[in-house]
Amino acid sequence: MLADPHTACARIDLAAYAGNLTRIADHVGPEVAVMAVVKADAYGHGMIECARVARAAGIPWVGVATVAEALTLREAGDQGPLFAWLYGPDEDLSPAVATGIDLAVHRVEQLSQVAAAAAICETTAAVQLKIDTGLSRNGATGEQWPALVEAALEAVELGALEVRGIWSHFAASDEPEHPATAAQLEVFEWALGYAADAGLAVPLRHIGNSAAALRLPQARYDLVRIGIAAYGIDPADGTLAADAGVELQPVMTLRAQLINVKPVPAGAAVSYGGTWTATESTVLGLVPLGYGDGVPRGAGNRGQVLVGGRLAPIRGRICMDQFVVDLGPDARDQVGDEVVLFGAAGAPTASDWARAGDTIGYEVVTRLPLRLTRIQVEPGEESR
Ligand SMILES: Cc1ncc(COP(=O)(O)O)c(C=O)c1O
């Protein structure tokens, strides 16, 4: 039987999160700071809890995408170094500046936006300039970089801003043979050199995410921004972390109880569209989770779950709230027995689900919706 009373839940092992961060910090060494990336509700694991645990583990920086996320952390009591890299042209940045949040600056106009907030707060705002090294998402292009550096220097001169960092983001650091990585590092070096020659000295230079931190020492600079690996999911959907000698423990376990178990005869068609038909009599189990709970619909007829110590295949399409597994003709499983989708020893991993559902491990954990019960297990609490 299930060890807790929830019909279905995502269990978050915060000690595993802290452990993964600590092992990654050890791997990159004491010269490189770690930023725990907790955007998108910590990839579905709980932003406030993960940030708190990261701080307690001695991780110096926390990073989020939006200013709203950063302010939520401040409201929850977080007071440490915090970096946010996404905001719109009409956002009032004064609450962020007033609470000491470092803001990314990608365009000259954003320097004015942050400086205006600094003026309202009668303080100096900390910014980190982004160079677009090849992802073509945010950040100044090489052509725009000189103007951004010059404008930043002027704002520094006026006392409005402090430039704490220069940073960028990789397009394909998880693909060892991808030529973009070396090209991006070259552009990053050029941008750093340009800024230094112009008289802009910055304490923080960073470009590396999980994959880069794990396998590219030359891309670590002063800080690495760690998201997916800290949640125990391999950045390359394989053995990148293991190859780097870093053990990652899954943080999230997604599990449920079987809510129906029944024998069906050969010829029984399963789930919408009858895309799977039993070739012999078997026993089917019903799992009360579906794509409305974030389970990848594409994993119908492809994914597996752990039940009774063995892997059981999913049969038919995954519905909004439930899916069916094949327990086999001799099954002795009962209603109420535990089914693990991912996260426990012997179960498929989030990456396995990603493969089965034609997506990535990042999406599998990040898209779990509000209706799914989430249980946070604090470090030191008994792990069930
Ligand atoms: C700007 C930025 N930095 C760092 C990260 C963390 O990346 P990862 O989860 O691959 O470690 C992300 C995630 O998408 C990001 O957008």
Side-chain angles (χ1 to χ4, degrees):
M1 290 291 273
L2 204 61
D4 66 59
H6 296 281
T7 302
C9 70
R11 185 180 149 285
I12 312 296
D13 182 346
L14 291 168
Y17 181 62
N20 291 335
L21 279 172
T22 304
R23 284 189 295 280
I24 293 165
D26 288 346
H27 179 71
V28 298
E31 303 299 318
V32 180
V34 170
M35 178 182 288
V37 176
V38 298
K39 64 189 173 129
D41 205 20
Y43 296 32
H45 295 69
M47 178 176 72
I48 292 170
E49 294 83 357
C50 286
R52 175 170 44 73
V53 164
R55 299 280 192 213
I59 300 302
W61 278 88
V62 168
V64 288
T66 69
V67 168
E69 289 174 317
L71 290 172
T72 300
L73 284 175
R74 286 294 191 240
E75 279 155 26
D78 183 274
Q79 295 181 336
L82 182 54
F83 180 45
W85 54 78
L86 222 56
Y87 50 91
D90 302 321
E91 279 186 52
D92 173 11
L93 298 177
S94 52
V97 171
T99 55
I101 295 163
D102 277 39
L103 294 167
V105 164
H106 311 266
R107 301 179 285 114
V108 169
E109 296 78 8
Q110 288 183 324
L111 285 172
S112 313
Q113 194 181 350
V114 182
I120 291 169
C121 301
E122 297 181 348
T123 188
T124 302
V127 297
Q128 304 200 22
L129 306 184
K130 184 166 189 194
I131 172 80
D132 175 6
T133 51
L135 183 60
S136 302
R137 217 165 59 173
N138 228 333
T141 62
E143 271 188 12
Q144 295 167 330
W145 187 244
L148 187 63
V149 169
E150 300 311 325
L153 280 166
E154 275 172 37
V156 170
E157 189 92 342
L158 293 171
L161 304 180
E162 170 198 352
V163 181
R164 206 195 307 263
I166 291 177
W167 69 291
S168 192
H169 192 47
F170 282 122
S173 57
D174 55 331
E175 296 176 42
E177 306 305 326
H178 204 295
T181 303
Q184 285 192 262
L185 279 171
E186 214 169 290
V187 177
F188 193 54
E189 281 293 325
W190 169 82
L192 291 172
Y194 185 92
D197 290 348
L200 190 63
V202 296
L204 286 179
R205 302 157 302 161
H206 50 109
I207 184 169
N209 58 348
S210 293
L214 287 167
R215 68 174 197 88
L216 294 172
Q218 72 277 28
R220 291 181 192 142
Y221 292 91
D222 305 305
L223 180 147
V224 287
R225 304 186 305 270
I226 305 298
I228 197 72
Y231 303 107
I233 298 171
D234 192 88
D237 183 19
T239 60
L240 194 151
D243 294 348
V246 178
E247 187 208 337
L248 299 179
Q249 254 186 287
V251 177
M252 181 187 292
T253 303
L254 183 59
R255 65 187 189 183
Q257 290 178 296
L258 286 175
I259 58 162
N260 199 352
V261 175
K262 64 184 179 196
V264 293
V270 175
S271 193
Y272 291 126
T275 57
W276 187 83
T277 302
T279 52
E280 55 177 311
S281 61
T282 190
V283 176
L284 299 179
L286 186 62
V287 181
L289 287 168
Y291 63 81
D293 304 290
V295 176
R297 183 173 178 274
N301 284 320
R302 293 164 75 181
Q304 305 184 95
V305 298
L306 181 72
V307 55
R310 66 195 191 284
L311 292 174
I314 295 170
R315 299 302 195 200
R317 288 189 183 144
I318 287 176
C319 312
M320 188 181 290
D321 320 295
Q322 44 196 303
F323 65 88
V324 173
V325 294
D326 189 353
L327 299 169
D330 306 318
R332 304 171 72 106
D333 310 278
Q334 307 284 319
V335 167
D337 282 359
E338 182 182 57
V339 181
V340 179
L341 281 72
F342 60 82
T349 61
S351 300
D352 291 331
W353 275 89
R355 235 170 283 122
D358 281 335
T359 178
I360 52 175
Y362 293 72
E363 192 186 10
V364 168
V365 288
T366 302
R367 67 184 179 184
L368 301 183
L370 273 180
R371 84 164 177 185
L372 184 70
T373 301
R374 199 164 56 191
I375 300 170
Q376 306 280 358
V377 182
E378 295 289 332
E381 260 182 31
E382 199 187 332
S383 191
R384 287 174 301 217

